Amino acid sequence: MKGSYRAFVMVGTIPGQDEEVAKKLLAFEEVLEVHFISGDYDLLVIVEISLHGKTIFTPVQEIAQFVVQKIRTVNGIRTTSTMLPLRSITKLE
Amino acid sequence: MKGSYRAFVMVGTIPGQDEEVAKKLLAFEEVLEVHFISGDYDLLVIVEISLHGKTIFTPVQEIAQFVVQKIRTVNGIRTTSTMLPLRSITKLE
Amino acid sequence: MKGSYRAFVMVGTIPGQDEEVAKKLLAFEEVLEVHFISGDYDLLVIVEISLHGKTIFTPVQEIAQFVVQKIRTVNGIRTTSTMLPLRSITKLE
Amino acid sequence: MKGSYRAFVMVGTIPGQDEEVAKKLLAFEEVLEVHFISGDYDLLVIVEISLHGKTIFTPVQEIAQFVVQKIRTVNGIRTTSTMLPLRSITKLE
Amino acid sequence: MKGSYRAFVMVGTIPGQDEEVAKKLLAFEEVLEVHFISGDYDLLVIVEISLHGKTIFTPVQEIAQFVVQKIRTVNGIRTTSTMLPLRSITKLE
Amino acid sequence: MKGSYRAFVMVGTIPGQDEEVAKKLLAFEEVLEVHFISGDYDLLVIVEISLHGKTIFTPVQEIAQFVVQKIRTVNGIRTTSTMLPLRSITKLE
Amino acid sequence: MKGSYRAFVMVGTIPGQDEEVAKKLLAFEEVLEVHFISGDYDLLVIVEISLHGKTIFTPVQEIAQFVVQKIRTVNGIRTTSTMLPLRSITKLE
Amino acid sequence: MKGSYRAFVMVGTIPGQDEEVAKKLLAFEEVLEVHFISGDYDLLVIVEISLHGKTIFTPVQEIAQFVVQKIRTVNGIRTTSTMLPLRSITKLE
């Protein structure tokens, strides 16, 4: 988690609009990957915010703003559930 | 729980209307705080009812009336889930 | 959200140990209130972290550490679900 | 809701102990009916508290006490979820 | 369960239409009680089907038909979840 | 649904005992198929009860008995959720 | 799982359109059975994809395509949840 | 998805064993990242299977085997929920 902060947003779409929603989401600079998934939600979206020069709380606030003001205004989205990593460990750390 | 009764209402909003819903909810006298939260719901609303001069059941009935007749009539709300404290303990008790 | 950061932790307890768990949780300095609630979880715990002199991410990291290293090590807890406020508005702001 | 207050408690049991749990629950004076149900929970328990001579909040507090101190101490119970009627209407009202 | 078969239907309503939906549901002959409840659903509806002269499967089929053809066609209902008692025990049995 | 009645039982197992539980379940005469599935549950079990010579309610009662007295007594099962078909349509009807 | 791959799709319908949705779903070649079920979803749909001459991933991709492009475009569907069998065992294996 | 197949496994841990479970999971070759997350589960685990020289179904079968035989046998895990990408799109495709 050196230079960026990731969050995982599960998205429920209005049936029949999945493909279009996925494309629109991927067009956002902050969206890295969109997965069509099995289970109660339809899409798993991986979002990344750069930490460069950020002050206290900024990354969490930016994720919040991004989800509320960008993702949730895309037509065809019915519901979202954001999973915020509280701490992350990876192979390389 | 001397002079007031609190309830916690989780609110799912129609995507794209979160900010507006939050402002409308905060405008109600009974609403103390509105939190944009991670997870399956979008807003956590803290509601407080005064106990002054109330008779039996009144606070629970007022919470019920407030949720059904005020909160749930706000445009942009998709679903609500009310958590009623059955008993509460705080640092000061 | 000037001097502190709050989070809401829903706790599922092992049946029969609710009272004891609630008391132990309230004994933590960071725990302000514990509510016995109706619904799928048993307790709603309000946690507060001071922001005094914190650097980037510290409050979220402290909540995470507090939930994992303090709350979740209390005997009698079966499961927890943390709701992180992404942004909060109150009557006084 | 003239002389009594009802609540609905969904109970998840430890597999293999359903019958025994159901019998123990029905033995409580406050338990009227126990239903083995399809779905995520195993039992639906109908609980009734008399309102006779009660002061403010007493019925809700008694339900809370009954669930925490009686139902949840029965061996074989894994989890409970209480649905509190905020208001009720019946054919006879 | 001598002369009748009961089922419990949890109903999620479109916010703002709870009162109207509750009244319409209670107007059905098969609906005994409607409770406004705390939690993920908004109403708990108690349904009763007479067993008089019924042949195999009829009560379950009638519940199914009643939920699909009557309850779910009421305007203002967003979702339903039916809990079918597989077996019931009461104080009087 | 001419000569038999099917139900779908989702099973949550104790981690590490999935294979063993699946084999034990398949050994029951009433169990036709066991699927290891993605999602919140671990196994989807297809159960079939013969309708031969059954009187009123018998199939539903047998499913109930089978789930409570057979499936739920298998070691390694943590939770079950039964979906009862209220009505079924197939290609051949 | 020799010549075909099955998946289980739980479907939530818009209330009042269950019958019509069920008929439309059964009209798809890939849909074997449609069950009206108790619980949080309304229909359980059994889908089968032939494995004949398929290359790597094709069956899972076809299920995905079928759910997104066929099932989810049927009018009256509100939400779907797909359970993918990771491995299956049956009486005959 | 050229040379590998990813799946997302949400893990619920036994409270108090989160750190230890996370470390054990990261020690598996197939586990790329482990995130401590807010919400109903405790860890989000990103798993990757190489597609090199695989025949039909192998990747999904390997994920299934890995989840059942490796992840779910780690001490301290209470429950898992696997989200299988049915299709994925990324910035680079």
Side-chain angles (χ1 to χ4, degrees), chain H residues 28 30-31 47 49 62-71:
Chain H
F28 289 122
E30 293 88 343
V31 171
V47 173
I49 300 287
E62 281 187 21
I63 292 282
Q65 266 187 328
F66 179 68
V67 170
V68 170
Q69 293 173 1
K70 296 284 179 66
I71 288 188

Side-chain angles (χ1 to χ4, degrees), chain E residues 7-76:
Chain E
F8 301 89
V9 185
M10 296 187 291
V11 172
T13 59
I14 294 172
Q17 309 195 14
D18 311 41
E19 307 260 7
E20 215 177 302
V21 169
K23 273 179 212 155
K24 280 183 201 157
L25 290 174
L26 196 64
F28 288 123
E29 192 189 350
E30 293 87 344
V31 170
L32 294 188
E33 306 174 17
V34 178
H35 302 273
F36 294 78
I37 49 170
S38 61
D40 287 348
Y41 287 88
D42 303 302
L43 303 174
L44 177 67
V45 183
I46 303 186
V47 174
E48 193 173 80
I49 299 287
S50 158
L51 294 186
H52 182 69
K54 297 287 160 62
T55 55
I56 198 165
F57 271 124
T58 312
V60 172
Q61 279 174 342
E62 281 187 22
I63 292 282
Q65 266 186 328
F66 179 67
V67 171
V68 169
Q69 293 174 1
K70 296 282 180 65
I71 288 188
R72 286 175 65 84
T73 59
V74 169
N75 276 337

Side-chain angles (χ1 to χ4, degrees), chain G residues 57-73:
Chain G
F57 272 123
T58 312
V60 172
Q61 281 175 341
E62 280 187 22
I63 292 281
Q65 268 187 328
F66 179 68
V67 171
V68 169
Q69 294 174 1
K70 297 282 181 65
I71 287 188
R72 286 174 65 82
T73 59

Side-chain angles (χ1 to χ4, degrees), chain G residues 19-36:
Chain G
E19 308 260 7
E20 214 177 303
V21 169
K23 273 180 212 155
K24 280 184 200 156
L25 290 174
L26 196 64
F28 289 123
E29 192 189 350
E30 293 88 344
V31 171
L32 294 188
E33 305 174 15
V34 178
H35 302 273
F36 294 77

Side-chain angles (χ1 to χ4, degrees), chain F residues 6 8 10 19 22 26 28 31-38 44 83-91, chain G residues 8 10 19 22 26 28-29 31-38 44 83-91:
Chain F
R6 282 193 183 191
F8 301 89
M10 296 189 291
E19 307 261 6
L26 197 63
F28 288 122
V31 171
L32 294 187
E33 304 174 16
V34 178
H35 301 273
F36 295 77
I37 48 170
S38 61
L44 177 67
M83 294 185 287
L84 289 178
L86 303 172
R87 200 156 60 82
S88 302
I89 55 179
T90 71
K91 281 284 194 266
Chain G
F8 302 89
M10 295 188 291
E19 308 260 7
L26 196 64
F28 289 123
E29 192 189 350
V31 171
L32 294 188
E33 305 174 15
V34 178
H35 302 273
F36 294 77
I37 49 170
S38 61
L44 177 68
M83 295 185 287
L84 289 176
L86 303 172
R87 200 157 61 82
S88 303
I89 54 179
T90 70
K91 280 284 193 267

Side-chain angles (χ1 to χ4, degrees), chain F residues 39-91:
Chain F
D40 287 348
Y41 287 89
D42 303 302
L43 303 174
L44 177 67
V45 183
I46 303 185
V47 173
E48 194 173 79
I49 299 288
S50 160
L51 294 186
H52 182 68
K54 296 286 160 63
T55 55
I56 197 165
F57 271 123
T58 311
V60 172
Q61 281 175 341
E62 280 186 22
I63 291 283
Q65 267 187 329
F66 179 67
V67 170
V68 169
Q69 293 174 1
K70 297 283 180 66
I71 288 188
R72 285 174 67 82
T73 58
V74 169
N75 277 337
I77 288 187
R78 195 172 39 81
T79 182
T80 62
S81 178
T82 303
M83 294 185 287
L84 289 178
L86 303 172
R87 200 156 60 82
S88 302
I89 55 179
T90 71
K91 281 284 194 266

Side-chain angles (χ1 to χ4, degrees), chain B residues 10-82:
Chain B
M10 296 188 291
V11 173
T13 59
I14 294 171
Q17 308 195 16
D18 312 40
E19 308 260 6
E20 216 176 303
V21 169
K23 273 179 211 154
K24 281 182 199 157
L25 290 174
L26 197 63
F28 288 123
E29 194 188 348
E30 293 87 343
V31 171
L32 294 188
E33 306 174 17
V34 178
H35 302 273
F36 294 78
I37 49 170
S38 60
D40 287 348
Y41 287 88
D42 302 302
L43 304 174
L44 177 67
V45 182
I46 302 186
V47 173
E48 193 173 80
I49 299 287
S50 160
L51 295 185
H52 182 68
K54 298 286 160 63
T55 55
I56 197 165
F57 271 124
T58 311
V60 172
Q61 280 174 342
E62 281 187 21
I63 291 282
Q65 267 187 328
F66 179 68
V67 171
V68 169
Q69 293 174 1
K70 297 283 180 64
I71 288 188
R72 287 175 64 84
T73 59
V74 169
N75 277 335
I77 289 187
R78 197 172 37 82
T79 182
T80 61
S81 177
T82 303

